[in-house]
Amino acid sequence: MTDYQAPLKQMRFTIEHLVGFEDVKKLPHFDTVDADTVEAVLEEAAKFASGVLAPINWLGDQQGVSVVNDAVQVPAEFADAYTKFCEGGWPGIAGDPDFGGQGLPKTIAVACDEMWAASNVAFALCPELSQGAILAMDRHGTDELKATYLEKLISGQWAGTMCLTEPQAGSDLSSLTSRAEPKGDRYLITGQKIYITWGDHPMAENIIHLVLARLPDAPPGTKGISLFLVPKFKVNADGSIGEPNDNRPVSVEHKMGIHASPTCVLAFGDKGGAEGFLVGKPNEGLAAMFTMMNYMRLGVGVQGVGLADRSYQKSVSYARERVQGRAPGEKGRVAIIRHPDVRRMLLTMRSLTQASRAVCYYTAACLDRANHGDDAEASAFYQARADLLTPIAKAWCTEAALEATTHGIQVHGGMGYVEETGVAQFYRDARIAPIYEGTNAIQAIDLVGRKLLRDGGATVSAFVSDMRAVDAPLANAGDALAVVRSALARGLDELVQSSTYILTAEKKDPELISAVAFNYLMLIGTVIGGWQLARGALVAIEQLAAGGDKAFLEAQVVMARFYAEQVLPRCTGYAAAIRAGSGSMMALSAENF
Ligand SMILES: Cc1cc2nc3c(=O)[nH]c(=O)nc-3n(C[C@H](O)[C@H](O)[C@H](O)COP(=O)(O)OP(=O)(O)OC[C@H]3O[C@@H](n4cnc5c(N)ncnc54)[C@H](O)[C@@H]3O)c2cc1C
């Protein structure tokens, strides 16, 4: 059985001290959420992840999925785990209580999501997509659609998917061609979608596809896209399952990782049109789908955190056991954890994971405050901050996950490259995260183009001011955190200068945004991560003085110091690359590559 106690301790610390959970709990919507409930949910989630999901992770990787007679087959163990997942009430923990959900804060749900991803990310994708579909339906569906579909989605009896991608329409959805013909109070959908995660499977009784398609009179481009709910099986008036709808899985992709997650080509309307229902307004489907996409973007960041953490835990165990070489002051051969270079990798993994976790959970807490606050001004503030953080959570945390999981392989040496240790699977499973839900380049362009430029840098500036507030307590902490204080201040200066540079230079260079966006995203993510670790170290020093858990708290201080010395200096490189602009990137003709 996988031991989740170490990450659980870190998750609790993050929730209690780094994301403003005290304020979340005070929101009227969450007035019944108490410390005991949170603790019970986290403990039970850890048990489920380690006892049910982790044991079938390797099996799913080896067995994979297939299409037989127009139906996707998954390992029987996955269907069994899904039944247990639903029986445990896990699909609905943050769901709307009006439709059978438990209404817990998203800040707690992300911690559970991290455990599902850490133990079995291929499985986790299925309920996660359902959650995204639920949110989109809740925000944009008619009362009738909600009454028919929400409760069964929230219970997990039915599962959801998101159907955007087509062969010619990936990052650029403007060229999407799936069509929707009105027929009475519904629509007939035709077209082919590719890469649809959990697009078909036998684990749930019905599958509810959220599909982007064009109405006959729709304008071209993204302004002519509408969103439709298309069930796998039609639903009778009494809510029971009816006849099959006109859609089917054509094939599943053979891919590098997440082997047990069926990535489907789906055909809609082979026999004339799959029956669907409009969600939201005509031609405003992309905006409605963004509700689901933003949900999934944070979810993908959390997948990165989970995989990075699993890889770290496994690598620490291996490094403690594997004996190779000698070390100064030691008699005989030593375990590799004794070598500074192995420690460099382990500490990079752990500090990036802790920083990413804090970024994701903080984003979730901002969403809780934005969605459930009763003060409009505060809600708007937290929504703007969550909007800023979402592409960072998705892209920075998944880049961190790749770095962590590749270190995980390296710590294992040759044993990391062979499959039996399982550590290669974490890397293979993590490798999709920077690609799907909008590639990390698309996230970075969104961050710079929409979140930084649109308000003239105001949201970033407000966040920088908040982050600078940690300087005074760091100064009070004296020598223990002096390096953290100076590295964070330097990182914040680089962030301010880079923001100012982009805000001014962008007007003169139409290529600038795309040229600098990725480095800007890495810069701001690295700084936010450093800020969170610094705050963690401050809390730890206070708790140490009060006689808290010495080993755990000392590790918080060391993690902030290590990150300040070894990771935050990257900010100088990102900033230099940003200031270099687009010059050399655009210097070669396409033929000259
Ligand atoms: C395993 C898997 C699961 C998936 N699940 C789903 C799903 O459930 N539902 C769904 O609808 N889709 C899904 N997708 C599709 C996924 O979201 C797309 O693959 C992704 O958005 C990228 O699109 P693309 O593959 O067409 O790449 P492209 O858009 O062709 O991009 C190729 C490269 O060009 C870059 N690029 C493209 N445009 C720009 C630009 N304007 N500026 C800078 N760089 C650019 C990209 O960053 C990338 O590096 C999944 C894909 C995979 C592989």
Side-chain angles (χ1 to χ4, degrees):
M1 188 184 277
T2 317
D3 178 14
Y4 274 77
Q5 288 314 310
L8 206 50
K9 213 178 211 183
Q10 197 65 51
M11 286 176 197
R12 278 190 209 107
F13 184 82
T14 308
I15 293 170
E16 279 169 28
H17 302 294
L18 303 184
V19 303
F21 191 57
E22 276 310 306
D23 292 339
V24 172
K25 276 194 294 190
K26 282 185 205 141
L27 298 172
H29 190 81
F30 300 125
D31 56 5
T32 56
V33 175
D34 57 25
D36 289 347
T37 318
V38 172
E39 190 49 35
V41 168
L42 294 181
E43 279 288 344
E44 286 306 311
K47 274 189 213 151
F48 192 87
S50 57
V52 179
L53 299 182
I56 58 171
N57 188 38
W58 172 247
L59 170 152
D61 184 66
Q62 296 304 298
Q63 224 164 298
V65 295
S66 57
V67 176
V68 180
N69 296 332
D70 284 350
V72 169
Q73 313 277 308
V74 303
E77 292 82 351
F78 272 58
D80 186 38
Y82 186 79
T83 305
K84 290 185 180 135
F85 191 81
C86 298
E87 284 168 358
W90 294 114
I93 58 165
D96 186 343
D98 287 347
F99 295 97
Q102 295 170 45
L104 286 173
K106 187 163 177 62
T107 318
I108 302 305
V110 284
C112 297
D113 288 345
E114 183 192 321
M115 290 189 247
W116 314 147
S119 53
N120 195 328
V121 72
F123 175 93
L125 281 161
C126 180
E128 185 148 33
L129 278 152
S130 299
Q131 293 312 307
I134 289 163
L135 199 64
M137 290 286 298
D138 201 25
R139 295 262 168 90
H140 308 287
T142 59
D143 288 345
E144 201 184 338
L145 284 180
K146 285 189 209 174
T148 311
Y149 291 94
L150 270 189
E151 198 169 328
K152 287 188 171 131
L153 278 166
I154 289 175
S155 71
Q157 196 177 341
W158 297 353
T161 75
M162 65 188 300
C163 301
L164 289 74
T165 309
E166 297 176 7
Q168 78 296 347
S171 300
D172 177 7
L173 291 169
S174 66
S175 57
L176 187 145
T177 58
S178 290
R179 297 191 60 79
E181 295 284 341
K183 190 183 167 216
D185 65 345
R186 48 203 69 184
Y187 296 81
L188 293 180
I189 315 293
T190 49
Q192 191 189 64
K193 296 288 178 182
I194 62 167
Y195 296 150
I196 304 308
T197 299
W198 286 98
D200 187 62
H201 57 90
M203 305 200 307
E205 179 180 274
N206 202 357
I207 300 178
I208 312 306
H209 304 291
L210 289 190
V211 183
L212 289 180
R214 288 182 188 285
L215 291 164
D217 54 355
T222 52
K223 292 202 167 71
I225 296 174
S226 304
L227 179 61
F228 299 90
L229 180 155
V230 185
K232 174 177 171 179
F233 293 101
K234 294 179 187 173
V235 178
N236 298 322
D238 64 357
S240 61
I241 297 278
E243 61 181 30
N245 204 353
D246 184 6
N247 57 65
R248 67 186 176 92
V250 176
S251 58
V252 285
E253 306 295 347
H254 299 282
K255 52 198 194 296
M256 179 176 177
I258 52 167
H259 289 162
S261 163
T263 305
C264 301
V265 174
L266 289 185
F268 290 90
D270 280 354
K271 298 174 192 151
E275 199 173 275
F277 303 87
L278 185 68
V279 178
K281 294 191 181 137
N283 300 329
E284 292 183 16
L286 205 51
M289 192 56 130
F290 257 106
T291 305
M292 183 166 187
M293 284 196 270
N294 281 329
Y295 179 92
M296 290 304 294
R297 284 174 177 180
L298 174 55
V300 173
V302 174
Q303 287 166 23
V305 178
L307 286 164
D309 198 87
R310 282 302 299 131
S311 185
Y312 169 74
Q313 301 296 338
K314 214 168 172 52
S315 300
V316 170
S317 303
Y318 186 78
R320 283 195 184 121
E321 283 164 18
R322 173 71 175 162
V323 173
Q324 282 296 288
R326 292 171 188 278
E330 304 269 351
K331 279 198 185 127
R333 300 195 316 146
V334 295
I336 59 170
I337 200 162
R338 176 65 184 75
H339 301 308
D341 188 63
V342 172
R343 287 167 169 244
R344 172 187 63 81
M345 291 189 278
L346 292 174
L347 288 168
T348 303
M349 294 171 83
R350 178 161 169 185
S351 64
L352 283 175
T353 305
Q354 282 186 205
S356 308
R357 178 180 290 123
V359 168
C360 289
Y361 290 18
Y362 181 53
T363 309
C366 288
L367 285 168
D368 279 330
R369 282 181 276 187
N371 293 332
H372 301 292
D374 45 13
D375 171 347
E377 204 177 317
S379 293
F381 173 84
Y382 283 113
Q383 187 60 55
R385 185 154 293 180
D387 290 346
L388 176 76
L389 281 164
T390 299
I392 300 166
K394 193 277 177 179
W396 188 74
C397 298
T398 57
E399 294 294 331
L402 284 194
E403 187 175 343
T405 52
T406 197
H407 280 320
I409 294 173
Q410 195 72 11
V411 169
H412 282 73
M415 285 304 285
Y417 196 69
V418 300
E419 289 284 357
E420 281 85 335
T421 53
V423 81
Q425 188 192 348
F426 300 138
Y427 177 77
R428 289 190 289 100
D429 284 355
R431 189 62 192 85
I432 184 59
I435 298 173
Y436 60 15
E437 278 320 314
T439 64
N440 284 359
I442 297 298
Q443 305 302 318
I445 291 167
D446 171 59
L447 173 72
V448 174
R450 294 209 187 89
K451 315 293 160 62
L452 173 69
L453 293 179
R454 203 167 271 180
D455 66 2
T459 306
V460 171
S461 285
F463 199 3
V464 166
S465 300
D466 283 357
M467 288 194 274
R468 286 213 194 274
V470 84
D471 187 69
L474 285 174
N476 288 339
D479 288 350
L481 295 179
V483 63
V484 177
R485 185 182 176 216
S486 61
L488 185 59
R490 205 161 40 246
L492 281 161
D493 289 345
E494 299 285 15
L495 176 58
V496 170
Q497 284 159 21
S498 297
S499 305
T500 310
Y501 168 76
I502 296 171
L503 282 159
T504 36
E506 168 267 331
K507 296 180 186 75
K508 292 173 244 155
D509 179 3
E511 310 284 6
L512 190 82
I513 295 178
S514 180
V516 303
F518 185 77
N519 281 311
Y520 185 78
L521 185 140
M522 294 305 288
L523 169 58
I524 192 169
T526 306
V527 171
I528 298 169
W531 168 67
Q532 286 287 28
L533 291 184
R535 295 174 67 218
L538 286 166
V539 172
I541 286 177
E542 211 178 290
Q543 293 191 353
L544 274 167
D549 178 344
K550 195 164 179 292
F552 176 78
L553 295 169
E554 278 178 357
Q556 307 304 310
V557 178
V558 170
M559 223 49 63
R561 278 179 42 214
F562 175 85
Y563 189 94
E565 290 168 357
Q566 304 289 331
V567 181
L568 271 172
R570 297 177 188 182
C571 293
T572 307
Y574 296 134
I578 291 166
R579 280 193 300 277
S582 69
S584 59
M585 272 175 223
M586 302 314 288
L588 292 183
S589 65
E591 297 73 37
N592 205 10
F593 271 78

